[in-house]
Amino acid sequence: MCIEAQHRLAFERLYGKGSFPCKAKVPKELKKACYRQGIWSSEEGAWTPDVLLMIMEKGGILTQRVPNNIQLAIDGFFWLERNAAFGKLEFMRLLYAYGPLLSTLWTDDGYAQTFGDRVYRGLQKDPDSGDHHCVVCFAYRVDSRTNELYVRIMDNCADDGPIRWVLFDVFDSFYVPLIKNPIEPHELRRKKKKKEHSIIAYASNYFSTLKKNIVGWAVGREIRRYYYPPKQRNVVLC
């Protein structure tokens, strides 16, 4: 949902509101790839940067639009930890400038019961009893009485979320996927079937795809090498 939203914003900034027709598929193939690589398991979940790196290596998230098999790629990502240097104001600026972003938090049984206007306020018991969870942040509001910042999030357990309010102080990390170039309009047009394909056209398409995959792999390698903090497990895929 986060990567689809990032592509939607990038595309509609250029071509107008409502012009982006693509919707991301349920990432079944990504889930399988993460499982095969030991990145994700149903018991322990996955670490968010590992999943983002896998998305880069796979060339992006597939969409439901056919027959073009459009992929919503990311060119990298960056993340920030909630601390004295990155607080409420910095978060609001980040969300306003970059749109929806991923975030992680610890949850307990009270989290699943947070609906409507109720606000999840974090673990009520021993932190060791909680689960590390990844969600999408897309809006916020400030309580004028308490000056608390509430973040509107979309969960990843169903197509519709669910959507909840979470106290900003509960989050620990924020991840922003980077979109260098939006999808080109010609990619959205239905491709005409051709009876014959020249060897040159086939080779050109093959090497173009190979180049994109190599670039994605190289960028992912550099991120692993220079920007890789100690691992934490959190549930990204349901």
Side-chain angles (χ1 to χ4, degrees), residues 86-95 149 151 168 174:
F86 185 82
K88 298 177 183 178
L89 182 59
E90 290 76 18
F91 168 80
M92 289 187 285
R93 287 173 174 168
L94 182 70
L95 189 62
L149 177 63
V151 181
F168 172 75
F174 302 92

Side-chain angles (χ1 to χ4, degrees), residues 8 17 23 38 77 88 104 107 118 191 200 218 232:
R8 184 180 301 279
K17 185 177 181 181
K23 183 175 177 61
F77 60 93
K88 298 177 183 178
T104 56
T107 63
R118 295 182 63 184
K191 294 180 180 178
I200 295 176
Q232 297 179 30

Side-chain angles (χ1 to χ4, degrees), residues 117-119 139-143 148-152 165:
D117 292 331
R118 295 182 63 184
V119 177
Y140 64 83
R141 66 183 174 89
V142 177
D143 188 317
E148 290 180 327
L149 177 63
Y150 304 143
V151 181
R152 195 66 160 163
W165 286 107

Side-chain angles (χ1 to χ4, degrees), residues 18 25 32 92 132 183 198 232:
K25 285 184 177 179
K32 290 179 182 177
M92 289 187 285
H132 209 217
I183 292 173
S198 69
Q232 297 179 30

Side-chain angles (χ1 to χ4, degrees), residues 15-235:
Y15 304 107
K17 185 177 181 181
S19 60
F20 187 72
C22 298
K23 183 175 177 61
K25 285 184 177 179
V26 176
K28 293 181 180 178
E29 294 304 317
L30 173 63
K31 189 174 180 179
K32 290 179 182 177
C34 289
Y35 179 78
R36 288 194 296 267
Q37 294 292 326
I39 292 172
W40 174 85
S41 71
S42 58
E43 295 80 18
E44 297 186 7
W47 192 49
T48 301
D50 281 343
V51 177
L52 292 172
L53 287 168
M54 177 60 72
I55 290 172
M56 293 176 63
E57 292 180 10
K58 297 285 287 184
I61 298 292
L62 285 172
T63 68
Q64 296 177 8
R65 187 176 179 84
V66 292
N68 296 359
N69 294 324
I70 294 172
Q71 287 184 296
L72 305 179
I74 61 174
D75 299 289
F77 60 93
F78 68 89
W79 71 82
L80 296 161
E81 303 289 335
R82 183 181 60 81
N83 51 37
F86 185 82
K88 298 177 183 178
L89 182 59
E90 290 76 18
F91 168 80
M92 289 187 285
R93 287 173 174 168
L94 182 70
L95 189 62
Y96 182 82
Y98 288 94
L101 50 88
L102 297 166
S103 61
T104 56
L105 69 157
W106 289 96
T107 63
D108 57 13
D109 294 341
Y111 175 79
Q113 300 169 8
T114 304
F115 294 104
D117 292 331
R118 295 182 63 184
V119 177
Y120 179 66
R121 294 181 170 276
L123 299 177
Q124 302 299 316
K125 300 178 182 179
D126 184 350
D128 293 335
S129 66
D131 296 316
H132 209 217
H133 197 50
C134 185
V135 298
V136 176
C137 300
F138 64 91
Y140 64 83
R141 66 183 174 89
V142 177
D143 188 317
S144 58
R145 183 175 58 84
T146 63
N147 201 35
E148 290 180 327
L149 177 63
Y150 304 143
V151 181
R152 195 66 160 163
I153 65 97
M154 185 172 187
D155 215 321
N156 58 15
C157 293
D159 290 342
D160 60 350
I163 294 173
R164 315 181 198 273
W165 286 107
V166 177
L167 182 67
F168 172 75
D169 298 342
V170 173
F171 296 103
D172 49 37
S173 302
F174 302 92
Y175 302 83
V176 183
L178 299 176
I179 311 297
K180 184 178 179 181
N181 296 308
I183 292 173
E184 294 289 341
H186 69 81
E187 297 181 66
L188 303 176
R189 303 190 188 105
R190 181 177 292 272
K191 294 180 180 178
K192 295 181 180 179
K193 293 183 178 180
K194 296 181 179 179
K195 294 182 179 179
E196 297 181 358
H197 297 276
S198 69
I199 295 176
I200 295 176
Y202 175 82
S204 176
N205 181 67
Y206 173 81
F207 285 110
S208 176
T209 302
L210 180 62
K211 178 182 177 182
K212 290 181 181 179
N213 290 340
I214 291 174
V215 170
W217 171 83
V219 172
R221 183 189 63 181
E222 294 305 309
I223 290 176
R224 287 191 181 96
R225 182 178 297 175
Y226 298 111
Y227 201 24
Y228 220 66
K231 287 190 175 183
Q232 297 179 30
R233 288 286 181 176
N234 58 77
V235 177

